[in-house]
Amino acid sequence: MDEERLQRSAVVANNAMNRERGLDGVNSYARDLGFHPLDRLEPPLSGQDGAAWLDLCCGRGRALAQAAGQRRDGLTLVGVDLVGHFDPAAASAPNLTLVTGSITTWRPDRTFDLITCVHGLHYVGDKLGVLARALTWLSPGGTFAGHLDLNSIRLLDGGPATRLVRRLLREAGIGYDARRRLVTCTGPRELDLPLAFAGADDQAGPNYTGQPAVDSYYRPTRTGTRAEPAPSPRRAVTVDDTGVRVDHGTWVAEAAWADLAGATVSRFVVEVADVDHLELTVDLVYGHHLSVADDADGFAEAVAELARRWGRPAPDLAALAPGDGHVDVWRRG
């Protein structure tokens, strides 16, 4: 069957593999993955940009809710599950976004420092396609870890594809722990496998977990299909009654009006590096600053709003030259 029919299968919709699994303990992510997710997030969390964890097939979202409950500054959490029967504690957890949808079609608008899929691929038709897409969502140095039973991947004639897929993963620099049935990868990767998804069988019976699972069938091709490229971080700047907010996609900085010392706009040009853009710089009273380039959503509107609140006309951004230096658009007092 195809992916759409498969998602209506009782085996997929009612599976109990990851419904109640927590962050640590006996029935936990830490035990099944062989590492604690928050340990992998510690290095980026210690930096100024923070860290983000995406959990595919997150079940009720208990592990994410428990991570959110630790209230780590700079930690962003996202969970995706087809069923969407989320734990109430997860639905109300801070910095946690829960999405009801299929991981075969869902697409994020950012990259992640950790992506997990704990026993979720067992119930997906195009397992290799999902893996290929997810690997492009990793940030530099980010970790992917997900369970994949290679015995559930078959060629169109029914023959096993275990040795073939294992060799292809190894050649692509992707790790596979046969004991844990765990695929791991560090850093974003374009996984271009010469296999095309042909359909799935939800009547394959129990896999190594003892639970009914789905077998996936592939047709060998001369060339594979590359996954969609990693999403570019969304950049945006807004100015409102609360102050200035700069969204760099992987992190967000906010400054209240009481913290603002001034704001300037300038044209930044480096000819040898083919750089030519406008830049808005917001100076803060405690010595730091925020800056954002003109490719950010709302750039011109933010400059105009700052000038309006200062009671001055907004500068003509199209006419701004490098020699104009930093042009004031807002100044305290």
Side-chain angles (χ1 to χ4, degrees), residues 14-21 27 32 118-120 122-123 207-212:
N14 296 324
N15 84 79
M17 278 304 303
N18 199 33
R19 300 258 73 86
E20 303 295 336
R21 189 171 280 104
N27 182 28
D32 275 25
V118 176
H119 295 296
H122 305 325
Y123 309 98
N207 66 358
Y208 74 97
T209 66
Q211 298 287 332

Side-chain angles (χ1 to χ4, degrees), residues 283-306:
D283 295 312
L284 306 178
V285 294
Y286 42 82
H288 293 181
H289 71 275
L290 308 176
S291 63
V292 63
D294 57 359
D295 61 349
D297 294 342
F299 181 90
E301 292 82 354
V303 172
E305 180 62 14
L306 284 164

Side-chain angles (χ1 to χ4, degrees), residues 27-239:
N27 182 28
S28 69
Y29 278 47
R31 179 169 180 174
D32 275 25
L33 294 173
F35 64 85
H36 199 290
L38 291 182
D39 290 344
R40 292 295 172 95
L41 293 167
E42 191 61 42
L45 271 176
S46 62
Q48 64 176 0
D49 292 347
W53 173 17
L54 168 64
D55 189 23
L56 301 173
C57 302
C58 66
R60 300 192 69 201
R62 292 189 63 200
L64 291 173
Q66 290 166 9
Q70 298 195 19
R71 299 187 180 277
R72 303 290 300 277
D73 291 340
L75 179 59
T76 298
L77 303 164
V78 179
V80 183
D81 195 82
L82 180 65
V83 178
H85 291 168
F86 300 122
D87 191 306
S92 61
N95 301 321
L96 170 55
T97 300
L98 296 170
V99 180
T100 301
S102 170
I103 63 172
T104 61
T105 56
W106 179 82
R107 176 179 170 84
D109 59 3
R110 61 164 301 153
T111 56
F112 296 87
D113 302 287
L114 175 64
I115 300 176
T116 54
C117 188
V118 176
H119 295 296
L121 291 176
H122 305 325
Y123 309 98
V124 172
D126 188 6
K127 307 180 199 303
L128 299 180
V130 168
L131 176 62
R133 297 177 74 237
L135 294 182
T136 69
W137 304 337
L138 287 171
S139 60
T143 297
F144 174 88
H147 293 94
L148 176 63
D149 182 11
L150 296 187
N151 291 325
S152 68
I153 299 178
R154 298 186 172 277
L155 300 177
L156 195 56
D157 63 3
T162 305
R163 295 179 63 184
L164 171 62
V165 174
R166 191 165 183 175
R167 175 175 62 81
L168 292 171
L169 293 177
R170 183 174 63 251
E171 291 174 351
I174 297 169
Y176 186 73
D177 184 333
R179 184 178 65 85
R180 291 183 180 273
R181 275 87 164 183
L182 192 69
V183 175
T184 56
C185 181
T186 301
R189 199 70 50 90
E190 287 192 354
L191 183 60
D192 190 16
L193 301 180
L195 295 168
F197 177 59
D201 176 15
D202 69 340
Q203 300 301 309
N207 66 358
Y208 74 97
T209 66
Q211 298 287 332
V214 172
D215 277 358
S216 302
Y217 289 78
Y218 289 84
R219 179 185 298 105
T221 61
R222 289 183 179 272
T223 59
T225 302
R226 289 189 180 275
E228 297 169 338
S232 299
R234 178 181 178 273
R235 294 178 173 85
V237 56
T238 55
V239 177

